[in-house]
Amino acid sequence: MTYRRAGLPALAGGLLLTALLWWAGASAHALHLPGATGMLDGQGVAELERWLIPWSYDPPASARFGTEVSGGIGGAAGIAGTNYLALYTTALQIRFAAVFAFFIPGALLLVRRLPPVHGRMPAALLAVWAWGLVAGTLAVTVSAPWLIASGGRGSYRFLPQLASVISSGRQVLVVTALVAAAVTVAIARVTAKGAGPLPREAVPARAARLAATIGTAVIALSLVVLSYQPVAATLQGVSPDIGLFAEPGDLLRQWLLLGAWAGPGGTPLGDWILYRAGDVLLLAVVWWALRRLPRLLTRATVPAMAAGTVCATVLGLLASQLLRLPVDGVGSGLHWDLLHLSANIGNGVPAALTCGLVAGSAAALTLRVAGGRAGTADATTSVQDSARPEDDL
């Protein structure tokens, strides 16, 4: 698919995702209406408000402080409060613009290399959905410095604050990114109809399995080794005294760890194994996706494999988190309070981006080397067969 045909779906999806996030943020004030408390209990309202606030233009109390003070000594406080409010507004403007800017390149690459035709429709939908979560996470990241500064404490433990801001707003992204992905893929299916036959790259099965294994091993390094609690605690405890960028441990944990686990300890072995089933599911999703991805792509380039692996890792995280919902619900006795149980949905996307890029690049290079060797071996065999004299009849 050409860039021209893929550009329209990516543009439409980016606009829709940005509009949906803006609408969700603008709806946050509705939770304070009398009817909302009647429909939802106080805990549910608080949980929904926590999900929507990162996308809302309604500033927190720290950014509103002093905006209504005027005259005398309070005049300086009023000016400072107005500046904080302006910083908060700027942060949200950057956030929404960044969502649009980050979504388009990834969706363009995915739709072009994974067009939703000839059996690729489900794969394209899932990949674009996962990329919507990545785009939202990156947008939250680049706008975080302005948001931190709007609270008037930008110089205090900046990196831990940055890690906290990055982890916010992900639950809304799961829903809005799915809607945007459905529209993107539907438009891409229409624009791809007149594009003619789309190629499928011939990939040796052995090379595809080897590439999938190498890529999954990179993901397993983060999920099994780095996420083991003693190792994770060491990473989180990194705190060199370098001024504004001191205490980077929380940020390293955000971008390197796909989970957190420890031995059975005081929990029953059966419950521990059941909970670890989510990790097994994540690795299985990644391996299966990497095994099929080279054959689904029109061309298995390094950027396409890297983006596809990031999306596969995000989808694996979502699958593992959904699997753990009933386990958490039964274990905590919350009687399926879905709002509370869904609070962890979307965790780990920054680490999925980091590890997915490395795993996808490693898988693409492995595929190229192993596929080249397989092609050379096949060519050598063909030459030997053609040079062999025919049997006498």
Side-chain angles (χ1 to χ4, degrees), residues 281-382:
L281 178 61
L282 193 161
L283 294 177
V285 168
V286 171
W287 190 91
W288 181 81
L290 287 179
R291 173 65 179 81
R292 289 183 52 85
L293 190 60
R295 294 181 180 273
L296 292 174
L297 295 172
T298 57
R299 186 182 175 192
T301 60
V302 174
M305 285 291 294
T309 307
V310 170
C311 295
T313 308
V314 173
L315 292 172
L317 279 171
L318 291 176
S320 66
Q321 289 159 3
L322 289 175
L323 179 64
R324 284 171 179 159
L325 284 182
V327 179
D328 291 338
V330 173
S332 60
L334 292 177
H335 304 292
W336 297 94
D337 184 358
L338 287 180
L339 280 179
H340 185 82
L341 293 176
S342 302
N344 291 326
I345 293 293
N347 274 345
V349 174
L353 175 61
T354 304
C355 301
L357 288 175
V358 177
S361 301
L365 294 176
T366 303
L367 189 66
R368 185 170 298 178
V369 173
R373 289 179 179 176
T376 303
D378 292 341
T380 302
T381 303
S382 300

Side-chain angles (χ1 to χ4, degrees), residues 193-287:
K193 283 186 177 179
L198 297 172
R200 279 181 182 266
E201 187 164 350
V203 179
R206 184 175 181 180
R209 286 194 296 269
L210 180 60
T213 303
I214 295 296
T216 306
V218 176
I219 302 299
L221 176 66
S222 171
L223 183 65
V224 177
V225 179
L226 298 182
S227 295
Y228 183 49
Q229 283 189 1
V231 180
T234 302
L235 285 174
Q236 193 168 8
V238 174
S239 58
D241 188 9
I242 48 178
L244 183 64
F245 298 102
E247 302 181 70
D250 291 340
L251 195 61
L252 286 174
R253 186 184 180 97
Q254 280 280 337
W255 290 92
L256 295 178
L257 274 61
L258 287 168
W261 68 280
T267 60
L269 181 61
D271 294 344
W272 182 84
I273 293 175
L274 183 62
Y275 206 76
R276 297 275 68 78
D279 297 336
V280 176
L281 178 61
L282 193 161
L283 294 177
V285 168
V286 171
W287 190 91

Side-chain angles (χ1 to χ4, degrees), residues 68-94:
E68 297 180 359
V69 180
S70 61
I73 299 176
I79 294 173
T82 303
N83 291 335
Y84 288 144
L85 182 58
L87 280 172
Y88 184 87
T89 303
T90 301
L92 268 294
Q93 291 171 348
I94 293 173

Side-chain angles (χ1 to χ4, degrees), residues 112-195:
R112 185 168 182 262
R113 293 299 182 197
L114 191 61
V117 293
H118 304 305
R120 296 181 174 113
M121 184 80 172
L125 175 62
L126 292 174
V128 177
W129 177 29
W131 184 255
L133 270 72
V134 174
T137 301
L138 290 174
V140 171
T141 302
V142 299
S143 62
W146 284 267
L147 197 70
I148 294 171
S150 69
R153 55 185 188 279
S155 61
Y156 173 69
R157 303 188 72 226
F158 175 74
L159 292 184
Q161 288 187 79
L162 183 62
S164 176
V165 172
I166 290 172
S167 64
S168 63
R170 59 189 182 274
Q171 298 90 349
V172 178
L173 278 169
V174 174
V175 179
T176 55
L178 179 58
V179 177
V183 172
T184 302
V185 171
I187 297 175
R189 188 175 180 87
V190 174
T191 58
K193 283 186 177 179

